[in-house]
Amino acid sequence: MAKRAPLDGTCAICKAAVTRRNVKKHLQGHFKESGKKAKGAADRKRPAKLFHLLVEGYGLSGDLYWMHLKALGSARLRDLDTLLRDTWLECCGHMSVFSDGEEDFEMGVKLKDILRPGLKLNHEYDFGSTTELLLTVVSEIEAA
């Protein structure tokens, strides 16, 4: 079976075309820019913990669909689960779970309580004909 070329994407911030290869660098530029703006606003707002996440299909389809997200540390796994369902997964209200390979996490846990740069989480949706996603924490960001 011939390997398919990875699909390109569009940056939701500036609408620029991005490739799977250059999107991380592209987004880090946006994050640095928003960090500079946040420092100016630091007197008005308390900095928040944010995470840069890479979500991709697990296994053979990993190169075919992917997205990068910036997530609030105060968000819960159920919020991330809802986004993934709305974007790629939902059809019938099936169960899902996040796992680090050793333990499954409760959907009510806050992202800031479990995420750290380099961490990889599996997300499984529909335990009958399971769709698996791999989430990688690319970086942690402080912003107002």
Side-chain angles (χ1 to χ4, degrees):
M1 177 191 259
K3 187 173 178 180
R4 293 190 210 173
L7 300 176
D8 292 343
T10 303
C11 175
I13 299 168
C14 70
K15 307 300 182 219
V18 292
T19 65
R20 181 168 167 83
R21 183 179 230 176
N22 76 5
V23 67
K24 181 178 166 184
K25 186 175 181 178
H26 176 88
L27 289 173
Q28 287 174 337
H30 284 302
F31 296 160
K32 283 181 185 175
E33 193 61 36
S34 68
K36 289 177 188 174
K37 290 176 187 173
K39 286 180 183 169
D43 297 334
R44 295 183 302 259
K45 286 187 173 182
R46 229 169 93 195
K49 187 180 284 193
L50 303 168
F51 293 96
H52 175 184
L53 305 174
L54 166 61
V55 184
E56 57 195 325
Y58 186 76
L60 296 175
S61 57
D63 283 345
L64 298 179
Y65 59 101
W66 50 269
M67 68 177 152
H68 286 256
L69 306 170
K70 186 165 65 167
L72 280 170
S74 60
R76 298 181 186 278
L77 282 177
R78 87 170 57 87
D79 301 320
L80 187 54
D81 181 66
T82 298
L83 175 76
L84 296 173
R85 287 168 179 264
D86 291 347
T87 306
W88 283 335
L89 303 170
E90 188 60 85
C91 74
C92 311
H94 294 289
M95 293 183 0
S96 60
V97 67
F98 287 95
S99 169
D100 67 359
E102 294 181 15
E103 69 175 302
D104 294 346
F105 294 101
E106 295 290 325
M107 288 293 182
V109 72
K110 289 184 179 183
L111 299 182
K112 66 182 176 183
D113 294 337
I114 60 168
L115 298 187
R116 66 187 179 284
L119 178 71
K120 293 183 183 292
L121 291 178
N122 283 347
H123 179 267
E124 295 179 42
Y125 173 78
D126 182 1
F127 302 135
S129 58
T130 307
T131 300
E132 289 185 76
L133 302 175
L134 177 64
L135 289 81
T136 303
V137 181
V138 177
S139 64
E140 186 176 312
I141 307 154
E142 288 282 326

